[in-house]
Amino acid sequence: MSIESIEAARESRTIPSRTRRVAQVLAVLLILLALALTPPLLNVERLRHRIAASMSESLGRPVHIDSVTLHVLPMPGFTLTGVSVSEDEAFGSEPTIRANTVEATLRLSSLWRRQVEISRVKFVEPSLNLVRNAEGRWNLESLLMHAAGVDTAPTEQVKAGPAPRFPYIEATNGRVNLKLGMEKKAFSLTEADFALWLPTPAQWRVRLEAKPARTDTSLSDPGVVRLEGSLGRAAVMSEVPVELQASWHSAPLGEASKVLVGEDEGWRGMLTADVSLVGKLGAAAVKAKVTLNDLRRADFVPAKSLVLSAECTGTVDVATAVVTDPQCRLPIDAGSGNAEAVSAIADSVDLTSLQPVGLRVGTPGMNEDWVLDWARLFSQKIPAAEKVGGSLKGSLTFLSAEAGWQGLVEGTLPPLSAATGDDLTRAPTLVTAGPDGLVLQPVNLMGAGSPLMLSGSANGKGYSLTLVGLATEEDLEKLSGVLAPAGESLLKLKDEIFYREEGKAARVDVSCSRVWGGVESCQVNMVAEPKRGRR
């Protein structure tokens, strides 16, 4: 056979092969075009009532849908617009869930069985109202219990079974509002991304990431809240098994205080909080750790900021939002191995109001150097001296809003003259608490020298201090560095107090007071002799 005939035979076989490939490509394109053009021509509006009825049956609440659109590409499914889930009348009239757009994707395998099974439901920018009524019940309880009673197969189950597979439910850029009784709170979660799926027949997995927000103030950087864990099935709400981990990270303290109380409380640093919940919803063990890094006041940058890390435990009833037997421990200078701590114990705490019942705060031995580090966060006048040593110990009990605190804290205070290097006896110090607030019992600042007695009180409105005794100008200057911020006001009265020869002791009787958030003022109560010109 000649070369020409061989080439002709090859060409005759190649042409049909190319033709078939082109025909196949054209067929696929025509099918895709038909799939893309057919849905608008179909009347899927008649499915709207059927889909709404199906969702209502699944949720146990009436569901309203404005319109339904069928789409085939990129995956077959429905686009629902104007979706709202009605609220139980016991919790109000505003919808529980509202979303302008919901995308539901079909399982392709279910179509071959002439069934409609949803594989994924996506809520776009939904709004969820979390409501607790006057009886202490939450509006999501009935939704959770209804879902627990529906027989569903795991989300990722490959083969279809008698029970429908639970869809993967997600929400993007959502909002969670909080309502207590008839009052909608200013607090909310925004930019929320949420996911819920069923890995096993008896367990749901949940994941949430959002930013805290308030409607009554502006927030620039509130940090990120994350939650992840599992919920099980049970016949009643209180028996639902739960294992959750939540966190609030990267929150500047100024912004965090806005979230918690609605205004900047004047603290700076970074907040990190981690909480775990394990057990049953009616009595779950809760553990929390809150760390404040680089803690300081906003007024100035101190030579040394503080790091605080408090650990709390208790038992929480999630339905009532009440923690019983809460206990918190604040280690002091844990980096140096110091086991001393401040502890707080209460009978219970209502998380919706953060009001403790039977609160008791105490310490077996609070390091005085740690107390001075705290004081230096409020004033630059307190010198960064060597370690003082000694400790404070005692306990305080919060009786009620009317009765206030009760108890005492006692310790020692280094005498004022010790700043010069003298080794003098430390003065015993006693702080008592009662209906009028905290009271500092008279303490001698001069040790064994001439008496210079300091006393005072503090309550929710402000504080007052009284200084009575004998002191020189040098003593007063030392005192101004220790007794900040009152010491600065004392220096302004120096010429009024001292009228004798320089270096001689003078009678001191001065009172200082300050309303919290205001300016401190001091006055001389009594001068023993008429003021004369200084020599």
Side-chain angles (χ1 to χ4, degrees), residues 303-304 373 376 380-387 481:
K304 176 185 177 183
D373 286 340
R376 294 186 184 102
Q380 294 175 294
K381 299 295 183 179
I382 301 177
E386 297 294 329
K387 289 187 175 296

Side-chain angles (χ1 to χ4, degrees), residues 49 128 150 164 290 321 354 373 417 421 445 489 497:
H49 294 292
L128 168 67
V150 177
V290 179
L354 295 181
D373 286 340
S417 55
L445 299 179
S489 300
I497 296 174

Side-chain angles (χ1 to χ4, degrees), residues 171-193:
T172 59
N173 199 23
R175 181 184 183 91
V176 180
N177 304 305
L178 178 62
K179 185 177 179 182
L180 300 179
M182 301 302 295
E183 179 187 4
K184 179 172 284 189
K185 309 300 288 186
F187 175 79
S188 63
L189 294 176
T190 61
E191 301 179 38
D193 293 335

Side-chain angles (χ1 to χ4, degrees), residues 7 202-203 339 467:
E7 291 295 334
Q203 183 188 74
L467 190 65

